[in-house]
Amino acid sequence: MKNITKFKHKKVLVLGLAKSGVSAASLLHKLEAFVTVNDQKPLSENPEAQGLLQEGIKVICGSHPIELLDEGFQYVIKNPGIPYHNPLIKKAMEKNIPVLTEVELAYLISEAEMIGITGTNGKTTTTTLLFEMLKEDNQKPLIAGNIGTVASEVAQDAKEDEKMVVELSSFQLMGTQDFAPHIAIITNLYDAHLDYHGDLSEYWKAKSNITKNQTEKDYLIINGDQEHVQEAVCFTKAQVIRFSTEKEIKDGAYIKDRAIYFKDEKVVDLSSIVLPGAHNLENILCAVAACKIYGVSNDSIRKVLSTFGGVKHRTQFVREMNGIKFYNDSKATNSLATKSALKAFESPTILLAGGLDRGNVFDDLIPYLVNVKTLITFGETSEKFVKTGEKAGIQTIIPVDNVEKAVPVAYEHAREGDIILLSPACASWDQYRTFEQRGDIFIEAVHKL
């Protein structure tokens, strides 16, 4: 890794732990910063904090005392999930202390070039596809970021001849200062995370941070079918490449004659692609565009697309039992993602939905529920989904306690040829630590049938 001196002998507060906080604190300690870690969880229940304490890092647990900021910190590295209206963060900003996230650290120390992928939906699939295509072409990719592997941890061992493919949330991008990936991808932008960002303009501003420091030597790949995404073109210095599922874009990636093209070059026939759902064509076009910038062969792209069946927890095929197919789409934490999943199937569907109540309703799902024969609801939004299902005219609606109990009930109401789909349209935090845990419980329950 690059031996940067930016944080050497500087007082740095790491706010919030989890995987990214632990990695950031350890890295800053190696970079000879004077690190203080502050986490809400008590020390006795906090093995991560205990481990950092053993490394010689100062740890304060159990609360977020506002007077901490009187200690003269020069940087704050915050967990992406901590909102900016947190009292400590607000005070830090009032004091003009830079508030960063650990992806900024990853960028500063990485010897490898970075490819950053953001957007409302499709980030994980695009990131994974791109990684697999580069890997198939022997281009030494690494995968990191919001996909589950901490970027600052991966970056410490990244080499100059490698490429870091990094999935980035708006939460992470808000905390960037110098971050500038060689290739930036914006898959799409819709209304999301307004409970965190406050309004759409702040959300879109956070996403556009992915390109704010790019130069003329870099590339920005954007959705050519969304007018508001084009706003990014107005302030980027990068070379812009668009993709479209609706029209031919001669200097970008597009669909023509049932095939994917990049700049007039036919890359792969749609018939060779096994990944289900029209929405995934956007993700594929993003990945193809980035690959062609790096000179990846069409053979490598075709091989991946003919075998890649989906990312875990993202319209993931789990099993078929007595002619009934089970799909895990636990990563669908908003209505837009659930709409995409529902559009991927034409067979009669049993939908499992519900989760954290963020104050929104789900009537926008009604036009997409036409193939849903049974709706099984759970979590804080269970009653809201019941009302939505009734408005949609679904005959069978069954509230249950949780995902584990939903699976056997769904199977009981299924018939040969049906789809059982977990696509919650909500975050998991009312009942589960993560969407991964929710999806794993679904998978386990399916295999217990």
Side-chain angles (χ1 to χ4, degrees):
M1 71 177 185
K2 294 177 183 175
N3 188 24
I4 61 169
T5 58
K6 181 173 183 172
F7 302 101
K8 186 174 183 178
H9 299 161
K10 302 288 177 61
K11 295 189 72 173
V12 184
L13 175 63
V14 176
L15 188 60
L17 281 178
K19 290 186 289 186
S20 65
V22 172
S23 178
S26 293
L27 172 58
L28 287 162
H29 189 57
K30 291 177 188 174
L31 296 172
E32 299 183 61
F34 301 128
V35 184
T36 298
V37 170
N38 179 219
D39 194 60
Q40 185 76 39
K41 192 185 294 184
L43 184 62
S44 59
E45 303 169 14
N46 201 327
E48 294 91 352
Q50 292 170 21
L52 293 172
L53 199 59
Q54 290 175 1
E55 289 183 37
I57 296 171
K58 183 179 177 181
V59 174
I60 298 171
C61 288
S63 66
H64 293 309
I66 197 74
E67 59 271 17
L68 252 182
L69 290 179
D70 296 331
E71 295 187 16
F73 290 107
Q74 289 149 293
Y75 293 96
V76 173
I77 311 295
K78 78 173 190 70
N79 183 291
I82 297 174
Y84 282 80
H85 56 71
N86 175 282
L88 265 177
I89 299 300
K90 285 177 71 176
K91 186 172 181 181
M93 295 174 74
E94 287 168 7
K95 287 174 167 281
N96 293 317
I97 302 171
V99 178
L100 309 174
T101 50
E102 62 86 28
V103 292
E104 179 77 4
L105 301 181
Y107 172 74
L108 292 172
I109 66 165
S110 176
E111 294 180 10
E113 247 176 25
M114 282 194 176
I115 307 167
I117 298 102
T118 196
T120 305
N121 293 319
K123 297 184 294 295
T124 301
T125 301
T126 302
T127 301
T128 309
L129 273 170
L130 181 49
F131 169 78
E132 293 295 340
M133 290 172 181
L134 291 169
K135 182 180 174 184
E136 182 64 34
D137 208 57
N138 299 314
Q139 297 219 18
K140 299 182 180 179
L142 306 168
I143 193 166
N146 201 42
I147 198 165
T149 310
V150 179
S152 58
E153 193 173 304
V154 175
Q156 293 181 51
D157 297 319
K159 303 294 186 293
E160 194 174 353
D161 62 342
E162 295 176 318
K163 298 174 181 68
M164 274 188 67
V165 186
V166 188
E167 179 185 339
L168 298 163
S169 69
S170 57
F171 305 166
Q172 292 167 312
L173 286 167
M174 276 191 81
T176 57
Q177 192 173 63
D178 299 314
F179 180 76
H182 179 52
I183 298 177
I185 298 174
I186 303 176
T187 59
N188 46 56
L189 286 177
Y190 298 102
D191 298 3
H193 302 304
L194 300 190
D195 55 331
Y196 184 100
H197 292 288
D199 59 43
L200 278 175
S201 63
E202 283 301 309
Y203 174 59
W204 290 348
K205 182 181 175 183
K207 290 292 192 186
S208 65
N209 276 352
I210 197 170
T211 189
K212 70 177 181 180
N213 297 316
Q214 287 188 298
T215 70
E216 294 84 356
K217 295 179 181 179
D218 300 319
Y219 296 87
L220 172 64
I221 298 171
I222 60 171
N223 193 320
D225 297 329
Q226 291 190 318
E227 285 187 20
H228 52 273
V229 178
Q230 310 304 313
E231 294 171 14
V233 177
C234 300
F235 56 82
T236 188
K237 294 178 182 177
Q239 301 173 57
V240 177
I241 294 178
R242 294 173 176 81
F243 66 89
S244 173
T245 61
E246 299 175 3
K247 53 185 176 287
E248 292 183 26
I249 300 179
K250 292 300 182 182
D251 60 346
Y254 57 95
I255 296 168
K256 183 178 79 170
D257 300 330
R258 299 290 299 164
I260 288 176
Y261 281 75
F262 182 77
K263 295 187 176 180
D264 288 328
E265 177 190 4
K266 182 178 176 181
V267 179
V268 60
D269 288 313
L270 295 186
S271 59
S272 300
I273 298 170
V274 297
L275 188 62
H279 63 290
N280 277 316
L281 288 175
E282 281 189 359
N283 307 325
I284 291 167
L285 288 166
C286 289
V288 167
C291 281
K292 298 310 290 184
I293 290 170
Y294 279 122
V296 173
S297 73
N298 290 344
D299 284 343
S300 294
I301 293 170
R302 288 188 201 108
K303 186 169 182 181
V304 171
L305 291 176
S306 64
T307 56
F308 183 80
V311 176
K312 190 175 185 183
H313 307 300
R314 186 40 131 178
T315 326
Q316 172 202 4
F317 175 69
V318 177
R319 75 179 291 195
E320 182 173 346
M321 184 176 178
N322 295 326
I324 300 161
K325 293 180 179 177
F326 295 80
Y327 286 86
N328 165 32
D329 194 40
S330 183
K331 200 175 189 297
T333 57
N334 56 54
S335 291
L336 287 163
T338 296
K339 289 175 187 176
S340 295
L342 289 167
K343 286 194 294 184
F345 302 104
E346 296 180 356
S347 302
T349 301
I350 298 175
L351 176 64
L352 282 56
L356 183 72
D357 193 345
R358 282 175 157 155
N360 54 309
V361 294
F362 301 97
D363 288 1
D364 58 327
L365 283 174
I366 290 174
Y368 300 86
L369 299 174
V370 288
N371 292 324
V372 175
K373 56 180 270 189
T374 302
L375 175 62
I376 300 177
T377 70
F378 52 84
E380 289 180 356
T381 55
S382 180
E383 186 56 38
K384 286 185 176 181
F385 271 105
V386 169
K387 291 178 181 177
T388 298
E390 288 171 347
K391 289 179 185 177
I394 298 171
Q395 295 300 307
T396 307
I397 304 172
I398 307 168
V400 297
D401 291 340
N402 52 46
V403 168
E404 186 176 16
K405 291 186 178 179
V407 171
V409 174
Y411 184 61
E412 181 183 337
H413 286 80
R415 298 292 179 266
E416 184 177 353
D418 287 357
I419 301 294
I420 294 178
L421 171 67
L422 170 69
S423 191
C426 301
S428 61
W429 304 321
D430 58 332
Q431 294 181 304
Y432 307 100
R433 293 192 308 274
T434 62
F435 71 81
E436 292 98 337
Q437 184 192 36
R438 178 171 64 187
D440 288 339
I441 286 171
F442 173 76
I443 293 169
E444 184 178 353
V446 170
H447 287 296
K448 281 182 179 177
L449 290 172

